[in-house]
Amino acid sequence: MTLFWMIVLGLAMGLVFGIALEKSRVMEPGVLIGQFQFRTFIMLKMFLAATTTGLVVLAVLNGGFGVPLGPKAAAWGPVIVGGLILGAGIALAGACPGTALAQIGAGYKDAWAVVAGGILGAMFYSYNMDWIHAALDWGSAGKMTFVDLIPLPFWVLALIAAALLVVLMVVLEKISPSAMEKAGVDVAMDDGSDTQAGSARLHPAE
């Protein structure tokens, strides 16, 4: 595949991803903040659905076509520290690297600051990656997979995990229906506050 078609494919995938984010409303700041406050679960449901889809696709590719897997080595330092930093940033900004561009497209002005911060963070990392890697070089556990622990083919385990995630999504939907969650976000946005794009936020939990 030439560079031109790689760029075209990347733009097409980004377009589909952005449309999915906008239509599912996962990119809205109120939805993201509500997830961290455990007031809405739209974000979690979307991530579970994406994970389930990925498991099914990998199961088909690996079990049906013999495509080899390439798991990365587990490194607890970067996972824990990076996860805490990313989670804190999402909770404070109401955006993440994946949703910020979709928010810009939808007219959320705050998202420009998130994108700028992401660029500055990437620049800081690129100039300081040596000491960052050294500081977080702990807790390495090598390449661990469930296949190493359970004597079953990967595709079987992947389909079992996908089925369990579907059950979890059904339970979450029963407990907290998406329609009610979206209505709650709309109420929070319209409750005496500026409803223009860029200022929509769920009110902090009392």
Side-chain angles (χ1 to χ4, degrees):
M1 182 181 294
T2 64
L3 177 61
F4 172 78
W5 287 111
M6 291 177 64
I7 294 174
V8 171
L9 180 60
L11 291 174
M13 293 176 65
L15 178 63
V16 172
F17 181 64
I19 292 174
L21 285 178
E22 198 280 329
K23 293 303 180 183
S24 65
R25 302 185 64 179
V26 175
M27 42 70 67
E28 292 187 7
V31 171
L32 295 171
I33 294 175
Q35 177 63 69
F36 281 85
Q37 295 175 338
F38 297 104
R39 300 173 65 188
T40 67
F41 295 92
I42 299 173
M43 179 180 176
L44 177 59
K45 294 172 188 174
M46 191 275 285
F47 282 3
L48 290 175
T51 302
T52 301
T53 303
L55 285 170
V56 173
V57 171
L58 287 176
V60 172
L61 291 176
N62 179 256
F65 298 95
V67 176
L69 302 175
K72 296 180 63 176
W76 301 118
V79 169
I80 294 174
V81 176
L84 288 173
I85 294 174
L86 177 63
I90 295 174
L92 291 172
C96 71
T99 62
L101 294 178
Q103 289 179 356
I104 289 176
Y108 288 85
K109 298 177 181 178
D110 296 350
W112 286 103
V114 177
V115 172
I119 294 174
L120 291 175
M123 293 174 60
F124 176 83
Y125 172 77
S126 64
Y127 282 105
N128 299 277
M129 64 171 60
D130 290 338
W131 70 263
I132 292 176
H133 286 185
L136 298 179
D137 187 20
W138 51 272
S140 178
K143 295 183 178 181
M144 298 187 305
T145 65
F146 283 110
V147 176
D148 299 325
L149 303 175
I150 303 174
L152 288 174
F154 167 80
W155 67 270
V156 174
L157 293 175
L159 292 179
I160 292 174
L164 293 175
L165 290 181
V166 169
V167 172
L168 177 57
M169 285 187 286
V170 171
V171 172
L172 279 175
E173 185 63 20
K174 291 290 185 181
I175 296 174
S176 184
S178 297
M180 293 181 61
E181 290 180 328
K182 292 177 181 178
V185 172
D186 291 335
V187 170
M189 290 168 59
D190 296 334
D191 186 17
S193 61
D194 184 3
T195 58
Q196 292 182 354
S199 62
R201 295 288 189 274
L202 274 177
H203 298 315
E206 298 296 337

